[in-house]
């Protein structure tokens, strides 16, 4: 059983992409004496600092950052492996008498870190073969029939994710959303979910997408194509940028498709946090300075 005792010393800063988590966490870590631990599945990858929006060098120079750009993209990664790496980093920070700030929006990785994951059954090869032979349209239709509660939680444009949910339904005879119900994190954990008004968040996403595409994201994907493993190829932007590199879309179409995919991802993140997370929610679109001061006190920050 992993030792999660040091999580009581940590502050979780969670929420959807482009909400402003990194800025808030950096400010708190500087003020309180802390170090930042990544909880974003794709910011782990070394080859994708721009695509995954890893913190820039000036932010990393202000406070130590852990688990950013630490894994080669050829390696497979999963939530259980991440939890082990994160717990080691958090233990090191706690041993120095500092506060670990755990920052990110990957719900599965946060769940694995704080409470562990359920034991899942092996999938019968016949079920797997039958599911993998289905078109994406048929996968979504069948999943809608067997487990409509799963639809808001996954990327319905991703055949691998839809197939995995459908396999669980067929293997267990129960909705995958029930099979994947996970233990609740300990009540004593401290954290915040940061959100924004929808129009504000969408505008920030659009700006972030433009900045990534003009700032080197295309070159990162081009360079990684010969070596990236299956997990790394799930990074947000891979599908849209490779379509552009293959001449299937224009740059403007690539930008628009990536912005739309990122908005869908943010919506799924919000759905996950609403259903799985008990941390208080703070809307940064309407926050006032005294709100942050009050929240700092509520979280027990110095």
């Amino acid at each position: 059983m992993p030792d999660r005792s040091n999580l009581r010393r940590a502050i979780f800063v969670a929420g959807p992409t482009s909400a402003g988590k990194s800025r808030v966490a950096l400010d708190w870590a500087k003020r309180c004496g802390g170090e930042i631990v990544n909880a974003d599945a794709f910011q782990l990858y070394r080859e994708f600092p721009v695509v995954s929006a890893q913190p820039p060098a000036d932010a990393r120079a202000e406070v130590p950052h852990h688990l950013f750009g630490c894994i080669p993209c050829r390696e497979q990664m999963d939530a259980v492996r991440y939890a082990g790496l994160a717990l080691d980093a958090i233990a090191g920070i706690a041993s120095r008498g500092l506060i670990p700030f755990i920052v990110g929006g990957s719900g599965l990785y946060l769940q694995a870190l704080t409470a562990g994951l359920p034991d899942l059954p092996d999938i019968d090869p016949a079920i797997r073969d039958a599911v993998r032979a289905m078109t994406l349209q048929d996968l979504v239709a069948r999943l809608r029939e067997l487990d409509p509660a799963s639809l808001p939680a996954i990327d319905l444009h991703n055949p691998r994710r839809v197939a995995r949910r459908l396999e669980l339904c067929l293997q267990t005879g129960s909705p995958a959303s029930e099979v994947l119900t996970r233990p609740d994190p300990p009540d004593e954990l401290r954290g915040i979910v940061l959100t924004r008004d929808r129009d504000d968040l969408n505008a920030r996403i659009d700006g972030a997408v433009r900045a990534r595409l003009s700032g080197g994201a295309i070159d990162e994907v081009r360079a990684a194509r010969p070596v990236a493993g299956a997990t790394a190829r799930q990074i947000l932007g891979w599908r849209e940028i490779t379509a552009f590199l293959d001449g299937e879309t224009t740059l403007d179409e690539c930008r628009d498709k990536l912005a739309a995919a990122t908005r869908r991802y943010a919506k799924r993140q919000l759905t996950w946090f609403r259903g799985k997370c008990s941390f208080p929610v703070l809307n940064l679109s309407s926050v006032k300075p005294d709100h942050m001061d009050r929240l700092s006190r509520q979280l027990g920050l110095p």
Side-chain angles (χ1 to χ4, degrees):
M1 179 72 67
D3 180 7
R4 293 185 167 88
S5 59
N6 287 308
L7 293 178
R8 297 184 183 92
R9 299 178 58 91
I11 302 293
F12 289 81
V13 183
T17 183
S18 297
K21 302 181 295 293
S22 297
R23 182 73 258 173
V24 170
L26 181 62
D27 289 345
W28 274 343
K30 286 164 54 181
R31 188 175 72 187
C32 303
E35 300 183 10
I36 292 175
V37 179
N38 170 41
D40 180 284
F42 297 115
Q43 290 184 346
L44 291 161
Y45 285 114
R46 186 174 302 151
E47 291 84 355
F48 300 126
V50 176
V51 177
S52 66
Q54 295 175 27
D58 57 350
R60 298 195 202 194
E62 295 190 68
V63 301
H65 284 61
H66 303 267
L67 302 187
F68 293 92
C70 60
I71 302 295
C73 71
R74 67 177 179 274
E75 291 189 13
Q76 300 300 302
M77 193 67 192
D78 59 44
V80 173
R81 182 184 176 193
Y82 162 77
L85 295 172
L87 287 170
D88 287 345
I90 291 162
I93 297 167
S95 73
R96 295 188 286 277
L98 301 173
I99 300 173
F101 287 87
I102 302 166
V103 184
S106 294
L108 183 65
Y109 279 38
L110 286 166
Q111 185 69 43
L113 173 61
T114 58
L117 299 176
D119 292 328
L120 299 179
D122 293 332
I123 304 298
D124 186 299
I127 290 176
R128 175 153 290 161
D129 290 345
V131 168
R132 298 304 165 95
M134 297 169 69
T135 66
L136 177 59
Q137 183 178 2
D138 289 341
L139 287 170
V140 173
R142 186 70 169 130
L143 185 62
R144 181 176 286 111
E145 176 187 342
L146 296 177
D147 185 17
S150 272
L151 300 183
I154 60 172
D155 180 2
L156 297 179
H157 295 78
N158 186 324
R160 181 170 170 265
R161 299 287 173 83
V162 182
R164 180 58 175 155
R165 291 272 176 151
L166 183 55
E167 288 169 355
L168 285 172
C169 293
L170 296 173
Q171 181 68 43
T172 64
S174 300
S177 54
E178 295 179 6
V179 176
L180 291 168
T181 298
R182 304 171 182 97
D184 292 330
D187 291 336
E188 63 268 22
L189 298 185
R190 298 176 294 166
I192 183 70
V193 175
L194 300 177
T195 66
R196 301 238 176 204
D197 292 340
R198 185 176 63 179
D199 289 346
D200 185 12
L201 184 63
N202 287 344
R204 290 173 63 87
I205 287 172
D206 290 346
V209 166
R210 286 194 297 271
R212 290 172 201 171
L213 290 177
S214 65
I218 294 171
D219 290 336
E220 287 179 358
V221 171
R222 180 187 289 114
R225 290 185 80 176
V227 295
T231 311
R233 289 171 182 263
Q234 300 301 312
I235 193 168
L236 193 63
W238 181 276
R239 184 186 309 152
E240 294 78 14
I241 293 173
T242 54
F244 166 70
L245 291 172
D246 290 340
E248 298 172 3
T249 62
T250 67
L251 182 57
D252 286 346
E253 290 169 336
C254 172
R255 183 187 63 242
D256 292 344
K257 289 178 181 293
L258 179 51
T262 306
R263 290 193 292 271
R264 291 194 298 270
Y265 177 57
K267 184 177 180 180
R268 293 194 301 276
Q269 288 177 300
L270 286 167
T271 298
W272 192 93
F273 286 116
R274 289 190 188 108
K276 302 289 186 182
C277 187
S278 60
F279 294 147
V281 176
L282 182 66
N283 186 335
L284 290 179
S285 296
S286 55
V287 73
K288 296 180 174 58
D290 64 310
H291 291 168
M292 296 302 294
D293 291 339
R294 187 163 63 247
L295 177 61
S296 296
R297 293 193 296 271
Q298 181 181 341
L299 293 173
L301 293 173

